[in-house]
Each structure stands twice: as structure tokens, then as C-alpha cells.
Amino acid sequence: MFYAQLLVNGLVQGLVIGLAALSITLVFGIARFPNAATGDAMTLGGYSALAAFKATGSMALGGVAAFLATAVVSLLAYLAVFRQLANRSVVSLLVASIGVAFFIRAVLGVTFGHAQQVFMAPLSRPYVLGGVRITPLDLQLAAVAAIALAAVFGLLYFTPIGRQMRAVADNRDLARVSGVRPGRVMVALWLLAGGVAGVGGMMLGVKTIVSPESGWEMLLPAFTAAILGGIGSPGGAVLAGLLLGVAQEASTPFVGFTYKIALAFVIMLAVLLVRPRGLFGRVEGAR
Amino acid sequence: MTLEIRNVTKAFGGFQALDGVRLSVPLDSLFGLIGPNGAGKSTLFSVISGFLSADQGEITLGGRRIDGLSAPARARAGMVRTFQVPREFSHLTVRENLMAAAPAQTGEGLFGLFFRPGTVRREEAAIAARVEETIALLKLTRVADQPSGKLSGGQKKLLELGRALMVEPRLILLDEPFAGVNPVLIGEIMERIAELNGRGIGFLVIEHDLEALTRLVSRMAVMDRGRVLAEGEPAAVLDEPQVREAYLGGLS
């Protein structure tokens, strides 16, 4: 029963990691660089959701605000920074994304202060299912995450722009000579990648705290999940995020709360050593 | 209506890959392009399709300057290329490969997707219908829902042709369509090309299989060391002494 409870907790935690990993893997697959600003985009999502939640008291509107604000800021980051560096090396883009990350963090720090903030969600009685406690808040968060995921996967697999995004991810040069216009694909990519990171950031904020540093600390587990899931594979990223969330929670009784973050690092090393293309991955090269 | 290539040059470092190429290809013709390895044929394709930019020279398609256009814009202007080693969106199914290549989709922008859903649906239906036609034409029905990375070499060549067709091209540049393809499938591909040409689509074909190529095309040009040596009817071209020396001399 104890482990069933950890499993439930892990799944909620896993959704946070999965959303962040999805954002990373989309950017890596299509724009071809590891986006270190993903964590701080999550922080932005956390603050946006908090502001909307305070104003309206609705968690769902918090999710919408997180999605929209982070999507727009990510698009701006693309237009102002990443597009200008589009033909540079992966390292240039990675370093630029670290710069974008610091910029977002600094603006958030100046605007909202560095004190930790929390979602004052009303306490409510958890549902008990066979001895496992599930709070209504967790269910709401899971629903928001599920809607965001459904929107992203629906767009990727059932629309023309999604098809073209997958085509560019698959073979960028071929997409160009087939008449796929990269500009539109990039706009869609950054809106989506930003949006899902924002929703992940809102969940993170609700489950823990909102502070200018909170998203940055998610980068390691998020990258681990993206790699574990096979970098560039959207479904793999979400599954690996859930796996990692559950693994972290399940390991807590053995290694203690403090070290559960280290587990992500151990798993990432193990994956890179044993199966570099991840569990669901494809062979993928980066310049 | 022609594809006009005038004085096109392209150097890679010190190597002059294209050295003042001049060529005029009628847009409804079957036109062959031959030459020894390293003659610059594939480079010329890359420069024509916008994959590489020319150092100098001018390219027009049906009278319109295209050398300043991006690769996607040239594809949308009606000219698509295929590759020597077939390329495909390997994780997409055959059907998705073809759909991804269809141009002018309202749903390829988020705005259109959300605010003009009716138009998107109609376009999708029209594209899907064309995809089914193309699949039937190329006899790829059995593998239509397989990831294209799993196709055989010959099927990938057919898929490349199909992807090119989705652009509704005026001219298709085929880079060695018969290389590594079994003889039965070569016949099949040749029939398809001839049939499409009958519908008014032009082909510029690079091919080392001279026997197959001379059966297919009505005119050809010979390249060597970045220049066009000769141009004309296949039999006449192959008879020219400098062509025999540059190209066939090495073979016989």
C-alpha cells in the first residue's frame, strides 16, 4: 500500500518531468539543440499560473495563463535570439539558451522578488481508493497536464503543421526541398515547446514552491527523461518522465528525500553508457 | 517554357565543381544528364534546386529568375529534386511522407489551423485524395501505412518520385533513379516516368545506366569537369569524339 501511494505521488511528479522533457525533446528534434532555458521557462509558467490563480482562484485558468505566457515568451526568445543563431553550432545555441535562461530568471527575480511563494490551494479531503490517497488537487493537475499533452500530440500527429514539424525533425534538408517552409514550423515549435514547459512549471509550483530558481533545478531530471525516452521522441519523453518520477518516489525510502534528485543523474549516466539512444529512441546525430 | 541555366559556377575551396554551365531544358521534355563521376552533375542539381547557392550565373524557370529563391520556394515554384541515395522522412509512414510534401496548406500555420478549420479540412481531404492517387500510380498501396524507413531501395525511389509529384511540379530533377534498383523495378519506374511526362511533367535525369537512359530520354547533355561538353539527341551526343574520350573512353 505504501508503494502504491509512492506510485501515485511519482506519477504526478512524473508528469512535471514529462512535460519538461517533452519541451526539450521537441526543441532538440526540430531546432537541434539542447535548450537550457526550458527550466526557467517552467519558472515563468509557475509565476504566470500563480498570478492567474490569485486573481481568479481557478487552477484551470492558471494552466491556461501558464501555457500562453510561456508560449509567447519562448516565441520571443526564438525570434530575438535562436533564429539569429540558426546556422551556428549546437554549442553556440546551447550557450545562448543559458543566457536566455539567466535573463528570464533575472526578470522574474526583479519583478516578483526572490522570496518563495506558494499556491494557497484550499485544503480538501483526499479520495481514498483501496487505501491510496489521491487529492482532488492532484487530479486537477493531472487533468491540466493531460489536456496539454493531448493538445500537443493531437497537433503533432493529426494536423498539417504537426506533420511538417515531424518531417523537419526527421530530415530537415529533405523538408526544405519538399517545399516545407521552416519559419512556420519554428513558430509552431516554440509556441508548443514553451506552452508545455509552462504547464509543467505550473504543476511544479503547485506541488512545491514558486521561486526564481525552482525551474532551473528541474533541468537535470528533465534532460534525463528526454535522453531516456530517446531524444527527439515526444512519446518517449513523456513515458520516461513518468518512469523517472515513479523511480524517484520509489527510491525515497531507501536513499532519503535529499538524494532522490541524484537518482536522475545516475539514471542519465547509466542510459548514456548502456543505451545512448534511449529506451524508445532512434539513431540520431547532432553536429 | 524552359529551365535556363546560364554561366553557373560553383567552387568548393579550390575545386571548381561547376565552371560556367549553360543548359536549356524544355519543361515538358525527358532530358538526360550524363558524365563521369565528379563531373558536377549532382552539384548542378543542388544549385538548381537551391540546396547550394551558385557563386555566379543565372537560373530561370519558365522565364522567372529563381536563383535568388530559397529551396522551399523553388519547390513551390514547380521544380523538385530527388536524391542519388534516396531520402525519406523515415519515421513517417509512406502516406505521411506524401502528405507532408503537399504545398500551400492553410493548416501549416497555427493561425489557419485554429481560425480556418473548414478550409483546413477541405484541403486535407483534397490532399488525401491526391496522395491516394499517387500511391495507386506508384503501386505503393501495400506499404502505404508502413514507416518509410522500412521500404526497399526501389520502393524508396518510387516514394521519392511520389513526394516530388505532390508538389505538382513542372519539372522533376531525378538523381540516378535506377541506381541499386532491380531490373524489374527499373522498367516499372521508367513506365511511370514516361506516363507522367505524357501528362506534361518534365524530367531532367542524371543516370549512369546509359542503356536505360537512352531508351527513356529524347535529349541529353554530357558534363565533364564542371562544363557541358555536348548536348543533343542521345545517339548523336554519344558519338561525339570528345564525349567518347571524356566519358566512354574510361568505360570500354
Side-chain angles (χ1 to χ4, degrees):
Chain A
M1 206 45 60
F2 175 62
Y3 285 99
Q5 186 67 53
L6 288 181
L7 176 72
V8 169
N9 298 350
L11 285 176
V12 177
Q13 180 66 20
L15 280 173
V16 178
I17 302 174
L19 286 165
L22 177 60
S23 176
I24 288 171
T25 222
L26 285 173
V27 173
F28 195 93
I30 296 169
R32 311 272 160 147
F33 72 94
N35 180 14
T38 309
D40 292 280
M42 292 177 76
T43 316
L44 175 72
Y47 277 105
S48 313
L50 187 59
F53 179 70
K54 278 179 177 167
T56 65
S58 158
M59 203 55 85
L61 285 180
V64 171
F67 189 97
L68 291 180
T70 320
V72 169
V73 168
S74 295
L75 180 62
L76 291 178
Y78 162 68
L79 294 174
V81 181
F82 301 129
R83 189 175 62 173
Q84 319 299 331
L85 300 173
N87 295 318
R88 303 289 182 80
S89 70
V90 175
V91 175
S92 311
L93 283 156
L94 170 62
V95 172
S97 75
I98 295 174
V100 170
F102 282 133
F103 181 80
I104 293 175
R105 200 180 317 167
V107 171
L108 288 175
V110 168
T111 313
F112 296 102
H114 287 264
Q116 298 181 353
Q117 302 192 38
V118 289
F119 278 81
M120 301 296 276
L123 284 176
S124 50
R125 185 187 292 276
Y127 305 113
V128 181
L129 272 173
V132 178
R133 295 151 59 91
I134 305 173
T135 68
L137 184 63
D138 279 349
L139 283 181
Q140 284 174 24
L141 288 180
V144 171
I147 292 169
L149 288 174
V152 170
F153 282 91
L155 195 96
L156 271 183
Y157 290 93
F158 298 106
T159 67
I161 181 69
R163 193 162 58 222
Q164 297 195 333
M165 288 172 78
R166 288 186 294 134
V168 172
D170 202 303
N171 190 329
R172 182 159 52 171
D173 288 341
L174 184 61
R176 281 175 59 221
V177 294
S178 306
V180 174
R181 285 177 283 196
R184 292 175 175 231
V185 167
M186 285 298 167
V187 168
L189 163 70
W190 286 100
L191 287 173
L192 274 191
V196 290
V199 172
M202 177 197 79
M203 293 182 68
L204 179 68
V206 174
K207 293 301 287 180
T208 59
I209 49 145
V210 182
S211 85
E213 283 77 33
S214 54
W216 179 255
E217 289 158 11
M218 285 304 295
L219 263 193
L220 180 60
F223 266 102
T224 302
I227 293 167
L228 183 65
I231 194 92
S233 156
V238 175
L239 284 177
L242 290 171
L243 265 176
L244 191 56
V246 170
Q248 280 189 351
E249 287 300 320
S251 71
T252 314
F254 306 104
V255 300
F257 180 77
T258 332
Y259 290 106
K260 78 172 182 184
I261 192 82
L263 185 73
F265 196 57
V266 173
I267 291 178
M268 178 152 79
L269 282 181
V271 173
L272 287 175
L273 285 172
V274 179
R275 196 176 158 81
R277 58 191 161 113
L279 293 180
F280 317 96
R282 32 175 94 160
V283 187
E284 199 81 63
R287 286 164 299 157
Chain B
M1 297 290 255
T2 55
L3 169 73
E4 292 287 340
I5 300 154
R6 291 194 202 97
N7 287 328
V8 165
T9 63
K10 176 76 188 174
F12 299 106
F15 176 66
Q16 197 70 36
L18 299 178
D19 190 7
V21 173
R22 289 173 160 275
L23 196 61
S24 176
V25 181
L27 288 188
D28 55 358
S29 67
L30 285 169
F31 202 105
L33 183 61
I34 65 170
N37 284 325
K41 306 182 297 295
S42 287
T43 305
L44 181 64
F45 265 27
S46 291
V47 167
I48 300 173
S49 59
F51 221 58
L52 298 170
S53 58
D55 296 337
Q56 278 169 37
E58 208 176 277
I59 304 168
T60 60
L61 183 71
R64 176 184 171 205
R65 263 308 267 277
I66 59 164
D67 44 279
L69 298 181
S70 69
R74 292 189 208 191
R76 284 163 188 251
M79 188 181 57
V80 227
R81 72 169 296 185
T82 68
F83 294 89
Q84 204 168 335
V85 178
R87 298 187 186 184
E88 66 287 326
F89 302 121
S90 54
H91 299 94
L92 275 60
T93 65
V94 168
R95 194 172 264 124
E96 287 176 329
N97 262 268
L98 295 175
M99 292 197 78
Q105 305 174 18
T106 306
E108 71 191 30
L110 288 176
F111 182 86
L113 195 60
F114 287 115
F115 296 103
R116 298 172 61 198
T119 313
V120 172
R121 249 197 314 277
R122 271 195 304 281
E123 282 179 5
E124 283 283 275
I127 291 169
R130 276 183 50 223
V131 164
E132 296 313 314
E133 267 174 44
T134 308
I135 286 174
L137 172 78
L138 300 176
K139 306 208 168 91
L140 289 170
T141 312
R142 267 191 322 114
V143 294
D145 290 313
Q146 281 183 22
S148 58
K150 297 210 167 122
L151 300 183
S152 73
Q155 288 171 323
K156 286 182 181 180
K157 295 270 184 188
L158 283 169
L159 176 59
E160 279 227 294
L161 186 56
R163 210 170 23 72
L165 287 176
M166 287 311 293
V167 182
E168 294 184 350
R170 292 195 276 175
L171 182 69
I172 298 179
L173 314 175
L174 295 175
D175 198 344
E176 298 198 28
F178 308 139
V181 177
N182 76 56
V184 179
L185 207 48
I186 289 184
E188 180 86 5
I189 294 174
M190 281 179 52
E191 274 176 37
R192 294 289 86 79
I193 294 175
E195 188 180 341
L196 290 164
N197 184 243
R199 299 188 197 172
I201 299 173
F203 288 86
L204 176 58
V205 188
I206 295 178
E207 183 52 59
H208 283 300
D209 182 344
L210 285 185
E211 194 265 331
L213 188 69
T214 45
R215 269 193 291 148
L216 181 67
V217 302
S218 50
R219 289 184 76 79
M220 64 165 61
V222 186
M223 282 184 72
D224 188 31
R225 289 176 217 164
R227 293 173 155 275
V228 174
L229 283 188
E231 194 208 314
E233 289 183 7
V237 165
L238 293 176
D239 249 4
E240 291 205 17
Q242 51 175 348
V243 173
R244 301 180 70 90
E245 188 196 334
Y247 189 34
L248 306 171
L251 289 180
S252 57

